[in-house]
Amino acid sequence: MTQLSLQEIKNTEFQILKAYADFCDKNNLTYFLCGGTLLGAVRHKGFIPWDDDIDVFMPRPDFERFVQLTGFSPIAPEYDTSFYRDTKLVADYPFVKVIDNRTKVIEKTKAEEKCTGIWIDVFPVDGFSDSMFINKLFCIRKLFWKRLCFTFSDDLSKVTDIKKKIGKALVLPFLKLMGQKRLFNKLDRICRKYDFEKSTNVGCTVWGYKIKELIPKSSLLPPSKVIFEGIEFSAPADPSVYLSSLYGNYMQLPPEEKRINHEMLAYRL
């Protein structure tokens, strides 16, 4: 295997993104750049210089259709789609990963057999309540189940923090009795409590930044366009609403000590 540089990792992710976007356009699926990818598009017209991943999200109805379509036919021969409802591939997260099957990534906290190739993350956007108080409680509940999902996925031998290691070791036997798929199903059901189509407020509830993800649906739809690495992609109707909620003054660069990435070890097979 040949180790890839940060720039080669970014190039690989960008090719996945282009194939994903083309697939969505051909199948009339709505998607948006999100998280640091959208921030990079708005602030840098491409990747945040120190970043090394790509995130997109989709309204829940489009997300479910995407899962169904890719279950029958892959985006391209070189790309696999990993989701916990599909047992063909390792799926350690309750959202979709589109993976380059010609690569391998070694992750810090995962056993090697659970590691996949270079990927982009695809998240569902679900509904929220009209009550901010209920939404805060809703996000606390989701965070609890999200942390259990994280614990199930970790390789304890790679956890260096002794307190975290002990805590995870105590909880893990109970999680194994429950089973990973049932655990993900529980989180997924909680996130789908409020129907996207009927909700005034929406957000990426299955992962993400908790209550900061909540935005009015009117600032999400209809999609707008942004330039990312020289190519036009879909973005929320008003990216500033979403980015301000997540990052505050998003046009201001963070201090250098916070300019970090995932430090992936990626290889070409």
Side-chain angles (χ1 to χ4, degrees), residues 61-96:
D62 295 270
F63 177 87
E64 294 294 341
R65 187 158 168 253
F66 176 76
V67 169
Q68 183 181 39
L69 289 172
T70 54
F72 289 105
S73 178
I75 290 174
E78 63 269 27
Y79 301 133
D80 296 322
T81 304
S82 171
F83 189 46
Y84 81 93
R85 294 181 203 155
D86 185 351
T87 57
K88 289 183 291 185
L89 294 172
V90 173
D92 267 342
Y93 298 96
F95 50 84
V96 167

Side-chain angles (χ1 to χ4, degrees), residues 183-225:
L183 184 65
F184 287 169
N185 266 325
K186 176 69 175 179
L187 177 60
D188 199 46
R189 283 198 305 273
I190 293 170
C191 292
R192 286 186 281 126
K193 179 177 181 179
Y194 300 102
D195 185 85
F196 177 89
E197 302 284 7
K198 298 176 182 178
S199 297
T200 303
N201 300 308
V202 298
C204 177
T205 59
V206 76
W207 221 243
Y209 295 81
K210 300 177 286 185
I211 199 68
K212 290 183 178 181
E213 291 278 353
L214 187 152
I215 58 174
K217 188 162 64 178
S218 60
S219 68
L220 182 69
L221 292 170
S224 65
K225 295 292 183 180

Side-chain angles (χ1 to χ4, degrees), residues 4 37-38 50 61 77 89 100 115 128 151 167 176 193 234 262 266:
L4 301 177
T37 308
L38 180 61
W50 54 88
L89 294 172
D100 187 316
C115 293
F128 273 91
T151 298
K176 288 184 176 179
K193 179 177 181 179
S234 291
H262 296 84

